[in-house]
Amino acid sequence: MLGKQKLKAMTGYALKEAKRLGVGEAEVVIWGGTEELTRFAQNHIHQSVSLTDTQIHVRCILGRKIGVARANRTDPIGIRTAVARAKMLATLQREDPHFHSLPTRNTYRRISRPRKGDKHIGSSGRAQAIAIIIRNALEHDLVASGAFSESDSELGVANSHGVWAYHIGAAASLSSIVMGERGSGFASQNTKFGSGITTNEVSDTAIYKATHGEFVDVPAGEYEVILEPPAVAELLDFFGWLGPNARIYHEDVSFYQGNIGKQLFDSSLTIVDDPFQAAGYPMAFDYEGTPKKKITLVNRGVAQNVVYDSYHGHKYGKENTGHALLAPNTWGPIPTHMVLLPGKQNVSAMIKRVKRGLLITRFWYTRVVHHKKLILTGMTRDGTFFIEHGTIVGRARNLRYTESVLEALKDIRGIGNDLSLEGSEGSPSLVPTLHLGKFRFTGVTQHG
Amino acid sequence: MVFTDRVGSSPTSGTSFMNFDHIAHTALNALELSRVSYGDLKVGQYQKEHIATKDGVVEAMESNDSMGYGIRVVKDGRWGFAASSDLSSAGIHATVKKAVVLARAAATVKADPVILTQESPLRGTYKTPYAEDPFTVSMDEKVSFLLAADESQRRVKHLKISQAYYTGWKQEKLFASTQGHWITQTLVECGGGIEATATNASDVQSRSFPNSFRGQFVTGGFENVRGMKLIDNGQRIAEEAVALLSADECPGGKRDIILDGNQLALQIHESCGHATEGDRALGWEASYAGTTFLTPDKLGIFRYGAPIVNLTADATVPLGLGTFGYDDEGVAAQRRYLVRNGIFVDYQTSREVASILQKTVPGYDRSSGGTVRSEGWGHLPMIRMTNINLEPGDNAQSGKAWKLSDLLADTKNGIFFSTNKSWSIDDKRLNFQFGTEIAWEIKNGKRGRMLKNATYTGMTPVFWGSCDAICGRDHWVVWGTPNCGKGQPSQLMHTGHGASPARFRGVDVGVLKR
């Protein structure tokens, strides 16, 4: 980690160099840090890795011609080289008639700082935690695998209009899959520091999922489902990418098109993009240095807002909502801090209300089948359980679903009170357990 | 003004392998001082340039240049890996030390010690053969080329979005080990494609050429991009995208299907490529990508597919996106059968995985298959697909080298699927479902109506067991897949898949109509 002052000096040096070369507008983003990850399988640690790097990204704009260069050499020669390359590319570019300007200077909301005692536990601490998971698995004749990662990162954004923004981040994640004769079980925790992970909770949940229930035959068909947070987060990722994304919304590729202000979902559903949630990975600005703010995407089932960066905001005459990704971004601005607001029900009470359905731990390999209907397909994985008359009566082999998320979210029968942080630091979401009235499964595999 | 103490070459002046030498010697000295039982390093410079156009506007024009090194050690019987872009002597020593600390931490959990197969410590060089270095072709020319390809689509009325793409990569790297390896390689890759999209109130349909997900990619020079005929095909794919909006939905039920080569390539990737990764078979990917139904007890005896199905891992095939001289642990590129005459016969292996298979699978005596690679310099080398190929139909070996026209004529009631749109498979690589951009009904040997939202689904060995015809080498193309994800932290890898169109009998199609 280089620190705020060094990053500020580096971005300033790059901007001066751009000015010296006659570049009218320039943006410099520098980010870096260290990520360490300890991975285990077959009841031992088989991979233990670390990566440290710093990268510089320079966007030079000549009139409306834009060139971008990225490099990881960040000494003065490296910075000058990156600036010169970005300028050279801009020189060779064609005018982009939709480009207006980079954002101007701003102030940023202060985000939550680490609490006293928050810290990374390092490779030996991670190994100790993994040893606990393995010991617990062996006591149940199970085979444990998983990963424990910790990272520190920093990001500086500056441009020739006076923007300077600095962010420091940390993330930690422990996941475990344990496997036995009855199938596999998964559990994970995501937070900011390894010291905040409760290893035994992860271990106990994964073991319960792997050992609970005998296999029962569950054929493909339509079922009520209880989706646990990892499964909900996977669906929400596709919602964010294909729904309130300004680029595809205005291209008429999004299911949001023509539906703003309409009741698209069950009235119990509210989704916001809230970058300031302390329980998540808070972020005060986007990759152009525009301040972030809370945006309501779905309010009581009504599609509400689309998110913008500076380019799409200008192109379509809308306010920039602070959702820029690193330029050049050909995917469009997307909400990266989604929160599906929790309900009041606990999961065991939700299960009791299921007549005939499935409890799903998580989905795997989800892909888009139909954009405008948001039909997705994927598999269940690591703990799929069959429920009859409010009781889990056995475990199911993994099933393939092919379902319209738009349709599925029209019939929400319960929202849990168990908000959970899922996903990575780059695209986290806070989601509860959901009880849906119907969900279509189109195939079954041979294992569970 | 000095921010970091680095000794690397200027990114734009071309890599000096002498600087790599200095880094490697420093690292090897540090490894010797650390008394590791094994150590290796990969130092490399990775360049990328990317251009994307949309609706006649160049929306991305960027270059990326990254240099650094990754060091792998075996200490106290376990692996440690650390990577850094700090090229100073102090940085290299610190990175070696970190790798050792990571290995020692891993060793606190009981495990069998790492053992590698005995391999000759190779010293050599390799360079991708090409006629025209993509990095010396002017950006201005590339932009003009893509804008013309973009424009060729917009001649079609009612088209919503036209896009064109180009990406080039160059990696210069040195691999050295404490066992005496010293290998330098320069790999050059490039490719591109076009994509036309049409929409209406209820539907979105896209057509791509030569392949979806930004095109076709090869190891080779820019002459391959020039030869792709992007401009010639722009109008056709745009017309198809618009026509798909009013096409019939793919019917449901069981049909004989013919997969075009570009779709079959992804079928091979997902259901054979990942399924035959030796590390998955040993459970090492269980925490993320999953395991495989092809467990070691099935080696040499399990019927994976019909007798005409022959699948190889071939890192030597010209133009393949998984083609190189040596893998990232110094093993020479090679060609091996994974499935021979329909029987599962081998895994993709590393030195460690081959060593474990030698100990645990009776009769397994093969050395490493040379399939270890990592994304860039900063990630752990692991087993990655090279070019996983379905060998073409051959008159001598598999009954017949079909022509596509003959295969269509030989099919009474079927569907021809082309160009992937959606792909999903379970964590043991058994249950899959694929969708393609376009399909056509086949009735009594003739290609009929266009079908949209076409999907097919099945179980891997049942599906490959139903393969009864494979087109010959005239139709065979090594399709490049530059976006294969695996590992934690996740790595993207470039792989290739040689395929020609093939027929499969009695497959479930049209999931949306069931």
Side-chain angles (χ1 to χ4, degrees), chain A residues 39 45-46 48 50 52-53 68 70-72 76 85 94 247 251 330 365 367 372 381 400 445, chain B residues 1 6 54 59 63 65 67 78 81 83 85 144 200 214 270 284-285 288 423-424 426 431 488:
Chain A
R39 207 171 181 211
I45 293 173
H46 65 309
S48 188
S50 166
T52 302
D53 195 16
V68 173
R70 195 185 294 188
N72 76 334
R85 206 148 25 103
R94 312 302 193 260
R247 176 185 167 105
E251 284 173 347
T330 57
Y365 223 128
R367 292 292 182 272
K372 287 236 167 161
R381 185 176 170 183
R400 169 169 299 285
T445 194
Chain B
M1 193 171 185
R6 304 180 62 169
K54 184 181 148 220
E59 61 171 6
S63 84
D65 198 313
M67 185 170 173
R78 304 309 302 156
F81 173 84
S85 55
S144 298
N200 63 21
R214 305 201 168 194
E270 300 293 359
W284 295 357
E285 288 298 314
Y288 177 57
W423 69 108
S424 176
D426 74 28
N431 180 308
Q488 291 172 296

Side-chain angles (χ1 to χ4, degrees), chain A residues 13 32 88 111 123 134 144 150 161 163 184 193 201 208 210 221 244 259 269 289 300 314 332 361 388-389 392 394 438:
Chain A
Y13 182 75
M88 183 267 290
I111 59 173
S123 56
I134 291 170
E150 296 179 302
H161 298 312
V163 163
S184 58
F193 296 93
E201 200 176 306
Y208 174 82
N259 285 318
L269 183 74
R300 297 176 186 273
H314 176 261
T361 300
E388 272 188 324
H389 307 300
I392 292 175
K438 44 184 187 269

Side-chain angles (χ1 to χ4, degrees), chain A residues 314-389:
Chain A
H314 176 261
K315 183 174 180 179
Y316 299 113
K318 301 287 184 181
E319 183 193 357
N320 176 3
T321 57
H323 286 84
L325 303 180
L326 206 59
N329 168 21
T330 57
W331 301 101
I334 54 173
T336 51
H337 294 81
M338 285 187 288
V339 183
L340 198 160
L341 295 193
K344 293 179 179 173
Q345 301 178 17
N346 66 47
V347 176
S348 54
M350 291 165 87
I351 292 170
K352 281 181 183 161
R353 280 198 292 277
V354 175
K355 284 184 185 166
R356 185 170 181 272
L358 291 160
L359 171 69
I360 291 163
T361 300
R362 66 171 177 150
F363 290 130
W364 164 247
Y365 223 128
T366 296
R367 292 292 182 272
V368 182
V369 176
H370 195 297
H371 278 72
K372 287 236 167 161
K373 295 176 182 170
L374 196 54
I375 297 176
L376 307 178
T377 191
M379 297 295 300
T380 68
R381 185 176 170 183
D382 302 320
T384 305
F385 300 95
F386 187 53
I387 306 167
E388 272 188 324
H389 307 300

Side-chain angles (χ1 to χ4, degrees), chain A residues 15-335:
Chain A
L15 290 172
K16 269 187 194 163
E17 181 65 12
K19 190 174 180 181
R20 190 183 72 78
L21 295 177
V23 174
E25 278 186 281
E27 172 188 80
V28 181
V29 182
I30 298 179
W31 72 100
T34 296
E35 178 177 12
E36 293 196 356
L37 183 143
T38 308
R39 207 171 181 211
F40 55 107
Q42 298 290 307
N43 293 332
H44 66 265
I45 293 173
H46 65 309
Q47 292 170 7
S48 188
V49 305
S50 166
L51 168 63
T52 302
D53 195 16
T54 302
Q55 298 193 49
I56 180 167
H57 156 110
V58 180
R59 178 159 51 150
C60 285
I61 298 139
L62 300 170
R64 288 180 171 179
K65 302 200 297 183
I66 305 164
V68 173
R70 195 185 294 188
N72 76 334
R73 182 174 181 176
T74 52
D75 64 354
I77 294 172
I79 290 174
R80 288 201 301 271
T81 303
V83 173
R85 206 148 25 103
K87 190 214 167 182
M88 183 267 290
L89 291 172
T91 306
L92 296 170
Q93 254 282 27
R94 312 302 193 260
E95 295 268 344
D96 183 339
H98 309 301
F99 178 80
H100 175 61
S101 171
L102 294 172
T104 52
R105 182 194 298 249
N106 231 308
T107 55
Y108 306 104
R109 181 168 154 176
R110 193 177 175 84
I111 59 173
S112 57
R113 296 287 178 195
R115 295 169 304 181
K116 200 174 179 185
D118 283 344
K119 61 178 182 180
H120 286 326
I121 58 175
S123 56
S124 60
R126 295 193 300 272
Q128 285 171 29
I130 289 165
I132 291 168
I133 289 175
I134 291 170
R135 187 189 65 215
N136 293 347
L138 285 169
E139 285 173 1
H140 290 81
D141 291 325
L142 297 168
V143 176
S145 61
F148 197 152
S149 65
E150 296 179 302
S151 66
D152 289 306
S153 62
E154 61 184 339
L155 167 72
V157 180
N159 73 26
S160 50
H161 298 312
V163 163
W164 163 247
Y166 179 78
H167 171 82
I168 190 161
S173 173
L174 172 64
S175 64
S176 175
I177 293 177
V178 292
M179 295 178 288
E181 288 183 359
R182 293 182 179 180
S184 58
F186 168 85
S188 68
Q189 276 184 19
N190 303 289
T191 183
K192 298 181 189 70
F193 296 93
S195 61
I197 299 274
T198 47
T199 301
N200 274 313
E201 200 176 306
V202 172
S203 172
D204 292 349
T205 304
I207 288 171
Y208 174 82
K209 298 262 185 185
T211 55
H212 188 71
E214 300 291 339
F215 275 119
V216 290
D217 284 329
V218 180
E222 198 169 85
Y223 294 92
E224 279 182 73
V225 288
I226 303 280
L227 303 181
E228 292 196 343
V232 175
E234 183 137 341
L235 302 185
L236 200 61
D237 278 351
F238 285 87
F239 162 86
W241 170 36
L242 296 171
N245 171 337
R247 176 185 167 105
I248 65 169
Y249 174 80
H250 290 284
E251 284 173 347
D252 196 18
V253 176
S254 166
F255 62 84
Y256 249 46
Q257 181 59 246
N259 285 318
I260 297 288
K262 292 183 182 170
Q263 188 82 37
L264 266 192
F265 306 108
D266 189 283
S267 61
S268 63
L269 183 74
T270 294
I271 302 170
V272 299
D273 190 58
D274 185 354
F276 305 112
Q277 284 272 342
Y281 299 113
M283 183 91 185
F285 56 89
D286 70 4
Y287 283 88
E288 292 180 323
T290 299
K292 282 189 163 290
K293 58 185 178 186
K294 183 176 171 180
I295 303 273
T296 301
L297 304 173
V298 175
N299 186 24
R300 297 176 186 273
V302 177
Q304 201 88 21
N305 283 300
V306 172
V307 301
Y308 293 86
D309 55 15
S310 70
Y311 180 88
H312 293 91
H314 176 261
K315 183 174 180 179
Y316 299 113
K318 301 287 184 181
E319 183 193 357
N320 176 3
T321 57
H323 286 84
L325 303 180
L326 206 59
N329 168 21
T330 57
W331 301 101
I334 54 173

